[in-house]
């Protein structure tokens, strides 16, 4: 049985490994190139940054092309990884269970969460290596009754050098990313094609026969018995739309806003991001020096990296955003999002000031990198783990399937979903594999 898996991020790498181990002949098609972390010391850029000579965030792609950033509206930047490992190679390494909206559709991923946690072994980062101000903010949050918890992390403290730059790739190999599953899949015989962008699926009537690709600039087609789209919350709907299939205008992104303050000598970058978090109904608060805002947000320009302190709000945003036929993406902050941000900002301010951070506290850039919701599962889809309208032989295994925003880390959720989809595929094709 020939299976094509599109994308090698949290969803793609997980399902490719599982299908390959269960008798499928797996071909992984990845739009990006092999991932290389950004290894330059950022101190060289500080003078340029202060003088505003780095320009806008768009310039970052010349230095680090794996991070794909674009504005979905004037005030919102969306971020994703286009490379082997997808967005997991840009992650902070937080590995947390989240399942907002899944109970409503009758989906319980507990067995998959347990299985993956048993492999990835998330553990809190040792508290003695948190920066003093981060510890102090945690104490203040605790005194305020915000119940801060150490974040389970897939970061090996023995290898981590506390450079604080997880989002540009871990050059020490301390942080787990989905390339570990990808490597296992290829060691077991799966084939990986990089720089291979899938443009559309090939349909004969209501049956999928393969995909059309652009490989190193050359158009071609590849045949398969089944195609799994794991191109993420934007890539997957782009392929579906190109193929004449419908997607929903329910893109969510778990929008992040970091409140930036000043504490001389805090050196917050010298720890992994987000070592603790405080969970609320619609958002989390977590210590975080937002490097995007540090580099590219004009109001943050005057403060040096060693004195900058941030507390992040990650919001479960309104599920409203569109991926159009021409590939464009449109998403705005809603009034509802603004109201929740206002509530969270008040708490963040209290924590920071209570911990001795100096005012002015200035908002960073709105950005989102948990992209989902464009092919949402409904209750009736859960038994077969695929939307009922999908052509035969076509599957989705990425965050696009999740109907609600989470306001929480989403790698574990995506991988758990992909594992469940894999079980269903194996079950359905069992007879043909014998
Ligand atoms: C900066 C950042 C930090 C994050 N930190 C965390 C964290 O600490 N913890 C956490 O749990 N979550 C984190 N996330 C979110 C998490 O990484 C994503 O939610 C998760 O990776 C989503 O998995 P996915 O498979 O849906 O998409 P992705 O992992 O993005 O994978 C999509 C893949 O498809 C490929 N692709 C796209 N289009 C095509 C095409 N047309 N043809 C072929 N290939 C294509 C991409 O190159 C990519 O490899 C972070 C995200 C970002 C951006």
């Amino acid at each position: 049985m020939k299976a094509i898996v599109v994308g090698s991020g949290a969803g793609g790498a997980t399902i490719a490994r599982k299908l390959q181990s269960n008798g499928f002949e797996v071909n992984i098609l990845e739009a990006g190139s092999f991932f290389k972390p950004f290894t330059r010391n950022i101190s060289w850029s500080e003078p340029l940054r202060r003088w505003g000579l780095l320009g806008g965030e768009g310039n970052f792609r010349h230095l680090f092309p794996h991070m794909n950033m674009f504005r979905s509206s004037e005030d919102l930047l969306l971020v994703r990884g286009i490379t082997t490992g997808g967005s997991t190679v840009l992650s902070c390494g937080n590995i947390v269970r989240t399942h907002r909206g899944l109970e409503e559709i009758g989906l319980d991923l507990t067995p998959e969460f347990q299985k993956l946690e048993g492999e990835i072994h998330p553990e809190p980062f040792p508290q003695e290596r948190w920066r003093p101000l981060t510890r102090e903010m945690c104490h203040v949050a605790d005194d305020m009754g915000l119940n801060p918890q150490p974040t389970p992390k897939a970061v090996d403290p023995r290898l981590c050098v506390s450079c604080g730059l997880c989002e540009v790739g871990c050059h020490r190999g301390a942080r787990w990313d989905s390339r570990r599953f990808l490597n296992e899949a290829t060691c077991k015989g799966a084939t990986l094609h990089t720089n291979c962008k899938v443009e559309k699926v090939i349909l004969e009537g209501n049956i999928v026969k393969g995909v059309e690709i652009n490989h190193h600039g050359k158009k071609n087609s590849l045949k398969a018995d089944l195609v799994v789209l794991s191109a993420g919350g934007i890539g997957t709907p782009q392929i579906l739309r190109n193929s004449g299939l419908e997607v929903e205008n329910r893109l969510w992104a778990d929008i992040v806003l970091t409140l930036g303050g000043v504490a001389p000598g805090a050196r917050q970058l010298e720890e992994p991001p987000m070592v603790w978090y405080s969970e609320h109904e619609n958002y989390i608060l977590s210590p975080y020096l937002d490097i995007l805002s540090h580099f590219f947000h004009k109001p943050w320009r005057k403060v040096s990296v060693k004195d900058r302190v941030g507390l992040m709000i990650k919001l479960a945003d309104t599920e409203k955003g569109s991926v159009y036929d021409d590939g464009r993406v449109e998403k705005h902050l809603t009034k509802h999002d603004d109201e929740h941000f206002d509530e969270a900002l008040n708490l963040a301010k209290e924590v920071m000031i209570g911990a001795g951070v100096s005012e002015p506290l200035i908002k960073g850039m709105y950005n989102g990198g948990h992209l989902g919701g464009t092919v949402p599962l409904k209750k009736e889809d859960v038994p077969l783990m695929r939307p009922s309208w999908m052509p035969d032989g076509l599957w989705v295994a990425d965050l696009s399937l999740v109907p609600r925003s989470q306001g929480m880390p989403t790698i574990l959720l995506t991988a758990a979903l992909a594992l469940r989809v894999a079980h269903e595929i194996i079950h359905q094709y069992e007879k043909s594999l014998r």
Side-chain angles (χ1 to χ4, degrees):
M1 274 286 197
K2 286 192 178 173
I4 284 176
V5 173
V6 182
S8 62
T14 306
I15 198 160
R17 182 182 70 152
K18 186 76 186 167
L19 294 182
Q20 184 67 35
S21 321
N22 282 272
F24 288 83
E25 204 180 303
V26 177
N27 207 348
I28 306 158
L29 309 180
E30 167 52 57
S33 55
F34 281 103
F35 181 70
K36 286 197 202 94
F38 183 72
T39 47
R40 284 159 95 171
N41 189 318
I42 63 159
S43 54
W44 63 271
S45 62
E46 279 295 286
L48 297 177
R49 184 189 72 86
R50 283 190 167 220
W51 287 99
L53 297 175
L54 290 178
E57 71 278 348
N59 287 339
F60 196 51
R61 71 168 179 269
H62 302 301
L63 293 169
F64 188 55
H66 304 306
M67 187 182 266
N68 177 250
M69 290 191 278
F70 60 92
R71 290 196 179 257
S72 63
S73 60
E74 206 184 320
D75 50 8
L76 180 59
L77 189 71
L78 298 185
V79 185
R80 61 182 179 151
I82 298 289
T83 179
T84 50
S87 304
T88 70
V89 294
L90 311 179
S91 90
C92 304
N94 307 320
I95 295 291
V96 178
R97 289 188 196 192
T98 173
H99 33 71
R100 201 166 177 259
L102 297 193
E103 206 181 322
E104 287 91 318
I105 58 167
L107 180 58
D108 176 8
L109 293 171
T110 308
E112 285 80 8
F113 285 146
Q114 279 169 348
K115 169 99 186 45
L116 289 159
E117 283 165 349
E119 289 189 73
I120 301 174
H121 303 295
E123 292 281 349
F125 198 71
Q127 295 202 15
E128 60 277 13
R129 287 178 60 187
W130 297 8
R131 296 297 304 155
L133 192 65
T134 296
R135 277 204 291 266
E136 189 50 31
M137 288 198 285
C138 187
H139 289 147
V140 174
D142 198 26
D143 291 345
M144 286 167 62
L146 304 183
N147 191 27
Q149 298 294 320
T151 312
K153 283 193 161 280
V155 176
D156 183 342
R158 292 164 305 177
L159 296 177
C160 174
V161 289
S162 299
C163 70
L165 293 173
C166 298
E167 294 106 311
V168 288
C170 181
H171 65 281
R172 300 277 303 177
R175 193 212 50 214
W176 178 94
D177 63 58
S178 71
R179 287 176 304 162
R180 300 218 185 147
F181 288 177
L182 187 63
N183 287 344
E184 285 179 44
T186 52
C187 285
K188 286 179 177 145
T191 320
L192 168 66
H193 296 280
T194 54
N195 298 297
C196 183
K197 185 174 181 203
V198 171
E199 311 224 298
K200 56 160 103 167
V201 292
I202 303 168
L203 288 166
E204 268 180 32
N206 197 37
I207 304 174
V208 164
K209 293 289 176 183
V211 293
E212 285 187 14
I213 56 170
N214 184 329
H215 193 200
H216 288 290
K218 280 196 186 139
K219 300 220 181 234
N220 212 333
S221 61
L222 285 175
K223 295 250 158 73
D225 300 303
L226 68 137
V227 173
V228 182
L229 299 181
S230 298
I234 289 176
T236 289
Q238 282 172 336
I239 297 166
L240 290 171
R241 283 243 194 251
N242 254 345
S243 315
L245 298 165
E246 274 306 302
V247 299
E248 293 200 23
N249 297 324
R250 292 179 53 83
L251 176 70
W252 53 267
D254 283 354
I255 301 173
V256 164
L257 175 65
T258 302
L259 191 60
V262 183
R267 305 204 319 266
Q268 194 187 15
L269 202 60
E270 293 175 25
E271 69 183 3
M274 302 178 70
V275 287
W276 60 261
Y277 72 111
S278 148
E279 191 177 347
H280 303 257
E281 195 183 340
N282 297 297
Y283 54 86
I284 58 170
L285 297 178
S286 191
Y288 181 69
L289 201 161
D290 175 10
I291 51 170
L292 279 181
S293 298
H294 176 72
F295 281 120
F296 302 113
H297 192 48
K298 202 170 166 193
W300 276 32
R301 209 175 266 164
K302 287 206 181 104
V303 176
S304 80
V305 70
K306 63 182 190 344
D307 302 335
R308 169 62 73 205
V309 178
L311 192 61
M312 165 212 270
I313 299 155
K314 190 189 287 295
L315 187 83
D317 55 319
T318 312
E319 295 89 358
K320 196 172 173 202
S322 306
V323 178
Y324 293 112
D325 287 349
D326 58 5
R328 257 180 331 109
V329 180
E330 186 176 355
K331 180 166 173 64
H332 301 261
L333 274 117
T334 64
K335 194 166 162 273
H336 204 60
D337 298 336
D338 281 335
E339 283 166 10
H340 286 143
F341 268 126
D342 284 346
E343 176 195 314
L345 279 166
N346 284 335
L347 284 182
K349 249 182 214 163
E350 206 177 323
V351 173
M352 292 176 87
I353 291 171
V357 179
S358 307
E359 295 191 71
L361 300 176
I362 301 176
K363 290 196 266 183
M365 294 158 89
Y366 290 94
N367 61 88
H370 300 182
L371 305 163
T374 39
V375 194
L377 283 174
K378 314 253 182 333
K379 200 168 190 168
E380 61 274 19
D381 304 329
V382 167
L384 294 181
M385 286 307 284
R386 61 199 292 271
S388 50
W389 55 265
M390 294 254 271
D392 289 348
L394 184 61
W395 298 77
V396 170
D398 62 25
L399 204 56
S400 315
L401 291 176
V402 178
R404 302 280 311 275
S405 57
Q406 303 294 313
M408 286 280 277
T410 43
I411 289 175
L412 194 64
L413 170 62
T414 315
L417 265 172
L419 213 48
R420 179 67 66 90
V421 175
H423 284 300
E424 204 43 52
I425 293 178
I426 293 162
H427 179 65
Q428 285 207 16
Y429 292 84
E430 226 164 21
K431 282 196 191 124
S432 325
L433 286 169
R434 277 194 208 127

